[in-house]
Amino acid sequence: MNVLVCGGAGYIGSHTVYELIERGHNVVVADNLVKGHREAVHSAAKFYEGDLRDALFLDKVFKENKIDAVIDFAAFSLVGESVTRPLKYFDNNVYGTIRLLEAMNRAGVKKIVFSSTAATYGEPESIPIVESDSTVPTNPYGESKLTVEKILKWSDNAYGIKYVALRYFNAAGAHISGEIGEDHDPESHLIPIILQVALGKRKQIAVFGDDYPTPDGTCVRDYIHVTDLADAHIKAIEKLFADNTSAVYNLGNGKGFSVKEVIEEARKVTGNDIKAVTEGRRPGDPSTLIASSEKAVKELGWQPRFNTLSQIIETAWKWHSSHPDGYKK
Ligand code: UFG
């Protein structure tokens, strides 16, 4: 199959490109490299540097390549920044995807897998979270992704573009080879920051709040390995070709770990003390987010393979310890 991966130089995108190529698919990557890294793109993928908001750029990509399906990862994803700069998020995440859907329509490409998020739910009404739960985002990032999900629904209705929207919980870990991994600037995610402490790049990890209604008082999250997410995207494309029906799926392990448990596991994996200091709560953090991924297991035949926290942290550690400055030479 010929797959266009938008945002294929980013964290989850680059891992999905690796999986697609390992399974014999032809991959075209389009990325503006604002957040992505050229070095993260597999050498067997054809690479185009450009922005989804540029219709001429997209027409060129579709004209020069026969594309069967699109996977769209291209988006800004910092929750905190989205609150202070909402227009930046709606412009890139929503307007960019509208331009992409228009270009797909012009090129007659009718299948898309879209990178969505647990942030579409907002404060959960019950745990585990199922896809039919209410979606009330508490930040513009989640709102931008939910808006695109709605646009996809109406684009299916009007143009017959079939989609799968995948709502990820906490993406973590790195490719088992240690060749690619997570590299954000600035880094805000828990596991990379903890591992930067283990590497001596930071003095300590700040635990954002220990007075939540959870067993040890720190926030509980559902960490899902990036290669398992990549696998789900390929299964989603296969589903679209098998039944030509749009759908939305949660992707998580179904198990929650507290911030303190993650730090403790990282101490075991790295053999480093990892100093932790409790600070105040980070605004907007729900206390517990755990997915029910039963629908994806049943309908996509998806099963996470890196389903222990130690496997997730070990692969992340392999990447970070061999690339302490990320992709920077
Ligand atoms: N945390 C700390 N200290 C840090 C960083 C994080 O204690 O230095 C805590 C957070 O408060 C949170 C947990 O670690 O409780 C995980 O935080 P992350 O920033 O790693 O991830 P989030 O759960 O905030 O965000 C993730 C995705 C977002 C997505 C969101 C959905 O990264 O893209 O889930 O709620 F929007």
Side-chain angles (χ1 to χ4, degrees):
M1 207 166 340
N2 302 311
V3 183
L4 170 62
V5 182
C6 302
Y11 173 43
I12 308 172
S14 60
H15 286 77
T16 303
V17 170
Y18 266 57
E19 284 302 300
L20 283 163
I21 287 169
E22 277 166 24
R23 295 183 205 185
H25 297 292
N26 297 317
V27 180
V28 177
V29 170
D31 198 300
N32 62 9
L33 298 182
V34 169
K35 290 284 175 186
H37 306 275
R38 181 67 183 88
E39 302 86 342
V41 180
H42 196 293
S43 56
K46 190 169 170 186
F47 180 74
Y48 286 86
E49 184 175 346
D51 197 292
L52 296 194
R53 290 161 293 188
D54 179 349
L56 293 178
F57 166 71
L58 282 176
D59 283 345
K60 177 179 153 75
V61 173
F62 281 108
K63 207 170 157 204
E64 290 180 1
N65 302 279
K66 190 199 154 301
I67 302 294
D68 300 308
V70 175
I71 309 182
D72 181 22
F73 295 99
F76 292 137
S77 62
L78 294 175
V79 171
E81 185 192 50
S82 79
V83 177
T84 51
R85 302 187 66 189
L87 300 181
K88 174 179 171 179
Y89 276 70
F90 289 112
D91 178 47
N92 192 45
N93 298 2
V94 179
Y95 179 69
T97 312
I98 292 172
R99 290 281 91 89
L100 173 63
L101 290 165
E102 286 171 346
M104 285 174 63
N105 229 358
R106 286 194 292 277
V109 179
K110 300 285 183 183
K111 291 178 174 56
I112 182 167
V113 177
F114 176 66
S115 178
S116 190
T117 171
T120 52
Y121 294 108
E123 194 65 46
E125 52 192 22
S126 56
I127 298 289
I129 299 169
V130 293
E131 291 83 350
S132 53
D133 283 353
S134 56
T135 45
V136 190
T138 50
N139 55 65
Y141 167 65
E143 192 80 70
S144 74
K145 291 288 183 175
L146 185 63
T147 303
V148 172
E149 286 193 15
K150 290 176 182 171
I151 290 169
L152 286 168
K153 188 183 91 175
W154 293 110
S155 296
D156 177 357
N157 182 61
Y159 317 119
I161 294 178
K162 300 295 172 187
Y163 68 93
V164 171
L166 298 174
R167 294 178 179 163
Y168 321 142
F169 281 63
N170 286 60
H175 194 267
I176 195 156
S177 66
E179 282 173 24
I180 55 170
E182 195 165 4
D183 180 3
H184 297 115
D185 185 21
E187 188 53 76
S188 65
H189 295 98
L190 181 66
I191 292 175
I193 293 179
I194 292 174
L195 297 180
Q196 285 174 358
V197 180
L199 282 169
K201 292 177 70 80
R202 290 180 194 244
K203 281 209 182 73
Q204 60 197 38
I205 173 80
V207 176
F208 295 145
D210 66 354
D211 56 352
Y212 284 96
T214 59
D216 66 17
T218 64
C219 286
V220 170
R221 293 288 181 274
D222 182 338
Y223 296 88
I224 179 75
H225 196 276
V226 65
T227 300
D228 286 324
L229 292 180
D231 177 47
H233 290 76
I234 300 173
K235 291 195 160 61
I237 293 184
E238 288 166 357
K239 177 207 142 51
L240 285 173
F241 278 93
D243 67 9
N244 206 37
T245 305
S246 299
V248 178
Y249 299 104
N250 285 343
L251 297 177
N253 263 314
K255 284 182 290 235
F257 292 96
S258 71
V259 173
K260 280 188 179 165
E261 285 173 322
V262 175
I263 296 171
E264 200 43 52
E265 193 60 44
R267 287 181 178 133
K268 283 189 203 141
V269 169
T270 63
N272 188 290
D273 284 348
I274 306 178
K275 187 178 174 200
V277 182
T278 302
E279 290 189 2
R281 291 184 179 196
R282 187 172 68 176
D285 271 343
S287 69
T288 303
L289 289 175
I290 302 173
S292 163
S293 302
E294 267 176 43
K295 190 178 169 202
V297 169
K298 200 164 145 236
E299 295 184 17
L300 296 178
W302 177 72
Q303 197 68 59
R305 286 171 293 162
F306 296 87
N307 55 6
T308 65
L309 187 59
S310 62
Q311 284 174 298
I312 289 173
I313 297 178
E314 277 161 20
T315 56
W317 181 234
K318 190 172 177 181
W319 156 254
H320 287 286
S321 54
S322 59
H323 298 80
D325 297 317
Y327 290 101
K328 279 194 210 96
K329 295 259 160 44

